[in-house]
Amino acid sequence: MRTVEVEKVKYFFIESLPYLRVTLLYVTVSLVIGFMIGAGIVCLRKSRIKILAAIASLYVTVLRCTPSIVLLFLVYYGLPAMLGGRVGDALNRMSPVFFVCITFSLFIGASSSEVIRSAYESLRAGQREAGLSVGMTELQTFWFILLPQMVKRAIPNIGNMIIFLMKEGALAYTIGLRDVLGQAYYLSARSINVYAVDMYLALTLIYWPVSLAIEKLFHILEKKMDPAKARRSLRKLSGGVA
Amino acid sequence: MLKVQNVKKSFGTNEVLKGVSFEVDKGDVVAVLGASGSGKTTLLRCLEFFERADSGHMELGDLSVDLHVHSKKTARQIRQKTAFVFQNYNLFENKTALENISLGLTAGHGLSKKEAEKIAAAALERVGLSDRADYYPCELSGGQQQRIGIARAVAVNPDVIFFDEPTSALDPELVGEVLDTIKALAKEGTTMVIITHEMAFARDVSTKVIYMDGGVIVEQGPPDVIFTKPREERTRKFLARFIQDFDYVI
Amino acid sequence: MNIDYSFIVSALPKIAAFLPVTLKLTVVAFAVAFAAGLLMALAINRRIKVLSPLCRIYMSLIRGTPMLLQIYVIYNLAPYAAAAFIEKAGLDINVYDIDPVWYAYIALSLTASVSVAEAVRAGMQSVHQGQREAGLSMGMSESAVFIHILFPQVICAAMPVIGNIVVDLIKATSLAFMMSVTEITGEAKILGGDVLRYFEAYLCVFVIYIVVIAVVEKMMHLLENRMSVYRRGVHSST
């Protein structure tokens, strides 16, 4: 085994890093659509129509049992096949990132429904009544009182989801996605993988710090959004009695 | 039989024990009194090697141990000759009442499973809980748990049993059954060192009373002396406050 | 719709025939991950010098990089390491004779070992210090206390998370085909590729995963219930 060449590592690093924008694209789209699906699922599960509630919880169970790569292939090969005809042909020409967005929106739809539900259940009883009692409408109460509290609760989960999406998205290189890993592999393949080790190192040097940064960022965000918690930890630091 | 010399222990800058010495003879029931923060619990925890004393010496039977410098082996030897009853019982949560007692005998003292179970059953009988042998701790009241804690301690036939405020975590109506269990042991001549806030109990049961304050033993002596004519002003003040409280409760 | 149903019917049993490979990958990788995770949790909790910070770095690294990258690193670099080891140990083994499934076991166990370490650490925190002291006060050795008292309670507390780890592991085995180990996903890829019926082939795999994971989840749940009997008690009267 030959030694690592710093120049090559640098090359792979610099050439692949900009492709984080692809990651950013599908992560953002998947989170937005996923949370919309998730909100829908929560509503369906709370609905009085039993069939709808059952379908919604079946969706969550099925998605939890599906490996990312299997759903990715199902969407990639299945959507064009199922729709067929002209639409199918059009889909076949779509960029891989389109299929990645659909796949992960479906996943986030399932996992976010659990996050939304637990955030909703964590609301203290009486918050809604309190909002209504001061003359706000249901919508205003939800928007100004309930939603901010729920978002606060969901913050750590959203951080985990972003890291999950960034890492799992790498699988999509198998359907030709050019994210960070896809780009690095493409470059490496051009030099018949002679510099594979340098490429692995460059990828580690991209993914690891980015994951750590996201983790840290959401940790700070979590603290910032909960002033009571921030005060409590301050008090603990100064050794006072709560 | 048990001789403790000059135990010192600090947590950071807080000097909790400032040189404590006392002796316990076979059959003694020593009541350790004192306000919270006086160092009583830390003293017993040092003797059971849950805390490492900064200095101090301990003799138990033919064993002689430095409380600061000791090997794991000597700590275990001492522990095999002593037993400890905890304030919050600390029954093994994943073991039934009977297993709680027998585990100490098999894993701690190398008895066979059969022997251990026989002794454990007898110990349960002794604290009046034979019908709870296959109950898990979560199914028992605090009083029952503590009685099993006592049975667990008695079963290994130790030279001395240390009690760390055995009734302070209990609801008031459950205190009686535990104190009765300890009284019965005292009658049978079990050697015990008991930290307690139950003054009437200490007066009735103990053969010797130790009063601690600020990390030192202020006064020690027979209960009739300590409770009726203590020499030290601090002891008098402490007892006055406690016995008053005690009278209110009754 | 352009779906070949007869292909699904014929492919399903052929793909299901590779289920034992999937299960073997899961079981072995879990065993490796469990042992490694437990040791890491202990090393970190006991603050063992050098080892404890190393474990932390390893855990952060594995959590911070895609599994696909880990798989490629192991698959492409492990043979070199193995060759070097064989040469040093003077063994008479050809590196190319090593079944790639061994690399798969290692690669799959990396992420799981980190999850196990985290679950065990959380479990340790949930067990009260008094349990250990009670054991020691009975004259038991540290290791006896660990085996009889702490370990069962830690594992019981960690069981729900361990259930999730097993499910994640089953799902992760779907990447084994990238290390040329043919399990159900790999077989689907082969069958689907023969006649360009990928969608139908993956539909079969999809169904198999759902059934297998549902069954495994049920089993883990039963196991968890059995292990946590002491938390609920067996006598309903109290």
Side-chain angles (χ1 to χ4, degrees):
Chain A
M1 206 157 75
R2 53 171 201 85
T3 46
V4 173
E5 274 177 45
V6 180
E7 271 311 305
K8 282 290 163 195
V9 177
K10 221 157 116 191
Y11 162 74
F12 281 114
F13 184 90
I14 291 170
E15 292 294 318
S16 308
L17 190 65
Y19 285 77
L20 268 179
R21 65 168 191 268
V22 179
T23 307
L24 188 68
L25 171 70
Y26 77 77
V27 168
T28 313
V29 173
S30 309
L31 275 183
V32 171
I33 300 178
F35 264 85
M36 291 199 287
I37 298 176
I41 299 269
V42 172
C43 293
L44 285 182
R45 285 182 98 167
K46 293 219 176 278
S47 113
R48 249 168 278 159
I49 307 166
K50 285 233 172 85
I51 287 275
L52 289 181
I55 290 174
S57 61
L58 183 69
Y59 173 84
V60 175
T61 311
V62 165
L63 268 281
R64 206 188 50 229
C65 296
T66 311
S68 305
I69 199 154
V70 171
L71 190 68
L72 189 65
F73 286 158
L74 278 178
V75 170
Y76 183 66
Y77 295 111
L79 266 192
M82 279 204 306
L83 297 172
R86 274 233 208 99
V87 190
D89 286 346
L91 279 177
N92 268 331
R93 284 191 297 275
M94 287 294 272
S95 144
V97 78
F98 170 77
F99 298 99
V100 175
C101 286
I102 294 183
T103 305
F104 286 116
S105 296
L106 292 173
F107 272 124
I108 296 297
S111 53
S112 70
S113 78
E114 300 282 323
V115 171
I116 295 171
R117 199 170 61 155
S118 79
Y120 183 79
E121 278 162 6
S122 77
L123 290 175
R124 237 178 287 164
Q127 289 293 308
R128 184 177 146 269
E129 282 91 337
L132 296 178
S133 76
V134 296
M136 285 196 261
T137 64
E138 285 274 2
L139 198 67
Q140 282 173 322
T141 309
F142 179 77
W143 190 257
F144 292 113
I145 311 288
L146 304 185
L147 190 63
Q149 296 186 34
M150 286 168 62
V151 170
K152 198 167 71 189
R153 257 303 283 242
I155 283 285
N157 292 310
I158 295 173
N160 288 339
M161 279 177 186
I162 293 175
I163 295 174
F164 165 84
L165 286 173
M166 182 180 77
K167 294 189 329 185
E168 289 291 280
L171 295 176
Y173 119 89
T174 49
I175 60 163
L177 181 78
R178 283 273 194 99
D179 67 340
V180 177
L181 185 131
Q183 170 67 8
Y185 274 53
Y186 167 74
L187 294 174
S188 175
R190 282 203 315 197
S191 51
I192 49 166
N193 287 323
V194 176
Y195 302 107
V197 180
D198 312 67
M199 175 202 46
Y200 296 147
L201 198 56
L203 282 177
T204 307
L205 290 178
I206 294 174
Y207 279 108
W208 194 5
V210 171
S211 299
L212 286 178
I214 296 173
E215 229 169 68
K216 189 86 198 155
L217 179 74
F218 275 80
H219 206 71
I220 294 169
L221 219 56
E222 192 190 346
K223 279 235 170 91
K224 271 254 171 73
M225 291 196 66
D226 193 349
K229 212 183 209 170
R231 270 202 299 278
R232 263 203 306 277
S233 57
L234 254 181
R235 229 179 273 143
K236 228 184 236 167
L237 277 178
S238 58
V241 202
Chain B
M1 179 198 59
L2 171 67
K3 196 168 166 187
V4 176
Q5 281 171 316
N6 206 21
V7 183
K8 289 184 185 169
K9 171 76 187 170
S10 302
F11 293 107
T13 55
N14 182 17
E15 202 178 354
V16 183
L17 295 174
K18 299 173 183 163
V20 175
S21 308
F22 66 95
E23 281 181 42
V24 180
D25 292 325
K26 194 166 165 52
D28 261 352
V29 177
V30 180
V32 183
L33 311 179
S36 43
S38 58
K40 315 174 299 274
T41 295
T42 308
L43 175 64
L44 283 203
R45 289 177 61 80
C46 285
L47 301 186
E48 194 70 10
F49 304 96
F50 294 153
E51 309 283 354
R52 186 182 285 270
D54 298 334
S55 68
H57 194 84
M58 172 178 183
E59 279 171 37
L60 179 65
D62 49 1
L63 287 171
S64 172
V65 191
D66 186 307
L67 290 176
H68 182 63
V69 195
H70 58 259
S71 64
K72 275 193 175 165
K73 199 178 139 215
T74 45
R76 195 174 164 204
Q77 281 173 335
I78 293 279
R79 284 171 179 152
Q80 281 171 333
K81 285 174 159 267
T82 61
F84 203 94
V85 175
F86 296 84
Q87 183 175 350
N88 43 15
Y89 340 126
N90 284 342
L91 293 190
F92 307 131
E93 286 168 23
N94 57 328
K95 301 283 175 192
T96 62
L98 191 80
E99 289 166 349
N100 256 280
I101 304 171
S102 62
L103 183 63
L105 295 162
T106 53
H109 292 253
L111 268 65
S112 74
K113 208 173 164 206
K114 223 173 183 176
E115 277 176 290
E117 272 173 12
K118 224 168 98 187
I119 298 174
L124 268 184
E125 174 91 56
R126 216 161 147 185
V127 297
L129 286 171
S130 296
D131 57 334
R132 293 288 187 269
D134 59 345
Y135 280 56
Y136 284 103
C138 72
E139 302 174 281
L140 299 166
S141 74
Q144 290 171 333
Q145 289 192 51
Q146 192 58 299
R147 280 151 70 195
I148 289 162
I150 295 169
R152 178 171 75 174
V154 174
V156 296
N157 196 21
D159 291 354
V160 55
I161 307 177
F162 299 127
F163 290 77
D164 181 15
E165 303 194 25
T167 59
S168 20
L170 291 171
D171 290 337
E173 73 269 20
L174 300 176
V175 170
E177 56 179 281
V178 173
L179 292 184
D180 289 343
T181 308
I182 302 175
K183 266 183 206 164
L185 293 183
K187 274 208 189 100
E188 291 161 28
T190 313
T191 314
M192 299 184 274
V193 177
I194 308 170
I195 298 176
T196 183
H197 291 297
E198 303 288 335
M199 293 302 153
F201 166 76
R203 195 172 46 198
D204 296 347
V205 172
S206 67
T207 57
K208 183 175 173 182
V209 176
I210 291 176
Y211 170 63
M212 283 182 73
D213 188 36
V216 293
I217 293 181
V218 176
E219 191 167 353
Q220 50 183 317
D224 45 335
V225 175
I226 300 278
F227 279 102
T228 51
K229 34 188 185 302
R231 271 173 292 127
E232 301 287 332
E233 179 62 24
R234 274 196 280 178
T235 318
R236 206 170 299 144
K237 270 194 178 154
F238 171 80
L239 289 173
R241 201 178 73 223
F242 252 99
I243 287 168
Q244 220 173 32
D245 282 355
F246 177 75
D247 287 341
Y248 275 126
V249 175
I250 294 292
Chain C
M1 283 238 265
N2 174 18
I3 294 173
D4 185 345
Y5 292 100
S6 63
F7 176 77
I8 294 182
V9 174
S10 68
L12 190 62
K14 286 186 205 155
I15 294 172
F18 281 83
L19 193 54
V21 183
T22 295
L23 295 179
K24 201 174 85 182
L25 282 167
T26 307
V27 170
V28 178
F30 181 76
V32 174
F34 188 80
L38 189 64
L39 291 177
M40 284 197 286
L42 284 175
I44 292 175
N45 257 39
R46 302 247 165 110
R47 297 202 183 84
I48 295 176
K49 265 183 220 155
V50 188
L51 205 57
S52 158
L54 270 181
C55 290
R56 280 176 186 280
I57 294 172
Y58 166 83
M59 288 168 70
S60 167
L61 172 67
I62 297 298
R63 251 181 316 183
T65 48
M67 192 182 241
L68 192 64
L69 178 59
Q70 297 162 14
I71 284 175
Y72 275 103
V73 169
I74 296 284
Y75 185 59
N76 290 323
L77 301 188
Y80 290 102
F85 176 79
I86 288 167
E87 200 179 30
K88 251 204 188 131
L91 298 172
D92 187 27
I93 304 170
N94 189 342
V95 173
Y96 298 102
D97 290 341
I98 297 177
D99 189 336
V101 80
W102 291 100
Y103 304 133
Y105 292 147
I106 297 172
L108 292 173
S109 68
L110 297 180
T111 300
S113 71
V114 171
S115 310
V116 168
E118 278 165 354
V120 168
R121 260 163 63 78
M124 282 172 173
Q125 252 145 34
S126 76
V127 176
H128 197 265
Q129 175 72 12
Q131 294 287 309
R132 178 177 157 266
E133 289 179 355
L136 292 177
S137 81
M138 302 309 298
M140 292 160 68
S141 64
E142 288 273 3
S143 52
V145 171
F146 185 77
I147 292 166
H148 293 287
I149 300 160
L150 304 181
F151 184 68
Q153 293 187 34
V154 167
I155 293 307
C156 180
M159 264 318 271
V161 186
I162 289 176
N164 288 339
I165 295 171
V166 172
V167 170
D168 282 344
L169 204 46
I170 297 175
K171 294 201 280 182
T173 58
S174 65
L175 300 177
F177 74 83
M178 298 191 175
M179 294 175 277
S180 59
V181 174
T182 309
E183 36 66 71
I184 53 176
T185 312
E187 178 63 8
K189 203 176 162 70
I190 294 167
L191 286 182
D194 284 347
V195 289
L196 291 180
R197 285 286 169 198
Y198 283 112
F199 175 59
E200 289 83 347
Y202 287 119
L203 214 51
C204 298
V205 181
F206 175 66
V207 172
I208 295 172
Y209 275 117
I210 291 168
V211 173
V212 168
I213 291 178
V215 171
V216 169
E217 268 192 341
K218 185 84 199 159
M219 279 163 47
M220 294 301 291
H221 205 74
L222 288 175
L223 186 66
E224 189 189 326
N225 264 338
R226 233 181 117 153
M227 286 176 73
S228 66
V229 154
Y230 72 85
R231 291 179 161 189
R232 296 185 311 273
V234 280
H235 303 87
S236 49
S237 56
T238 31

